[in-house]
Amino acid sequence: MGSLLATEDFTHILRVLNTNVDGKQKIQYALTAIRGIGRRYSNICCKKAEVDLTRRAGELSPEELESIMTIVANPRAYKIPDWFLNRQKDVKDGKYFQMTSSMLDTKLRDDLERLKKIRNHRGLRAYWGLSVRGQHTKTTGRRGKTVGVAKKR
C-alpha cells in the first residue's frame, strides 16, 4: 500500500477539530475519527461539499477540507435536515446543531450536572454509577464493583 500513496502533496495525518485524522483512509471513514461525526453525517457533509467519496483524506486540498469543516460547523445553512443533527432542541436555547469533539464533552457534562441539580432520577443514577436507561441490574453490569460473598474458612 506504500507506493500507491507516494505523491508529493499527500498528508499522512491531518489535524482537524483537535483530532488526528488518518490520511490513508477514505474521506468518509477518516472523518469518523472526530467525536460527534458518524458515517452517515460524514457522507452527507462530503456530498454537500462536492468531494469525491473514493478519495483518500490525505489527498484533499486545504480548500476542500475547509469546505467540509464549514458544513460540519453549520449544517443548517447547507440544508441538512434537523433530524440528522445530534443536538435537537437544546434545553437552554432551543436550537438545533451538530456537536463535535470538545463541545460534545462539555454539553454532556452540563446536561448531567443539570439533571443532578434538579435531583432527576437519571441524574442521580448517573451520579451513583448505576445504569440509567432502565436495564436490569440484579445480575448484570457488575464489572468494577465488588461481587459475591466472602466464604467462611
Side-chain angles (χ1 to χ4, degrees), residues 70-83:
T70 54
I71 293 171
V72 167
N74 44 2
R76 295 183 82 196
Y78 293 91
K79 297 183 179 169
I80 293 177
D82 286 339
W83 57 263

Side-chain angles (χ1 to χ4, degrees), residues 77-135:
Y78 293 91
K79 297 183 179 169
I80 293 177
D82 286 339
W83 57 263
F84 220 95
L85 307 178
N86 65 5
R87 184 73 175 184
Q88 299 173 11
K89 275 175 43 177
D90 188 40
V91 177
K92 294 208 172 27
D93 52 11
K95 291 183 181 175
Y96 293 79
F97 50 91
Q98 181 76 12
M99 295 189 306
T100 54
S101 64
S102 62
M103 192 168 117
L104 191 71
D105 298 329
T106 55
K107 283 287 185 184
L108 184 66
R109 193 176 335 103
D110 291 346
D111 288 345
L112 282 175
E113 286 299 320
R114 182 179 52 82
L115 290 173
K116 286 181 213 168
K117 184 179 167 192
I118 62 173
R119 308 290 291 166
N120 189 302
H121 180 72
R122 264 178 57 201
L124 291 174
R125 288 189 70 86
Y127 176 70
W128 294 330
L130 298 170
S131 55
V132 174
R133 296 185 176 181
Q135 298 94 323

Side-chain angles (χ1 to χ4, degrees), residues 23-86:
K24 294 178 226 146
Q25 289 183 322
K26 295 197 170 161
I27 184 62
Q28 178 184 352
Y29 298 102
L31 287 177
T32 60
I34 302 168
R35 285 201 61 201
I37 298 179
R39 288 185 304 206
R40 285 181 42 91
Y41 189 70
S42 68
N43 184 7
I44 198 168
C45 287
C46 290
K47 285 181 179 175
K48 294 281 183 185
E50 297 175 358
V51 173
D52 186 19
L53 293 173
T54 60
R55 291 176 64 195
R56 306 279 170 182
E59 297 172 356
L60 294 181
S61 68
E63 296 80 30
E64 290 172 319
L65 201 59
E66 190 61 38
S67 68
I68 291 173
M69 286 304 110
T70 54
I71 293 171
V72 167
N74 44 2
R76 295 183 82 196
Y78 293 91
K79 297 183 179 169
I80 293 177
D82 286 339
W83 57 263
F84 220 95
L85 307 178
N86 65 5

Side-chain angles (χ1 to χ4, degrees), residues 2-12 58-59:
S3 63
L4 292 174
L5 304 173
T7 58
E8 289 138 23
D9 57 345
F10 187 82
T11 313
H12 288 278
E59 297 172 356

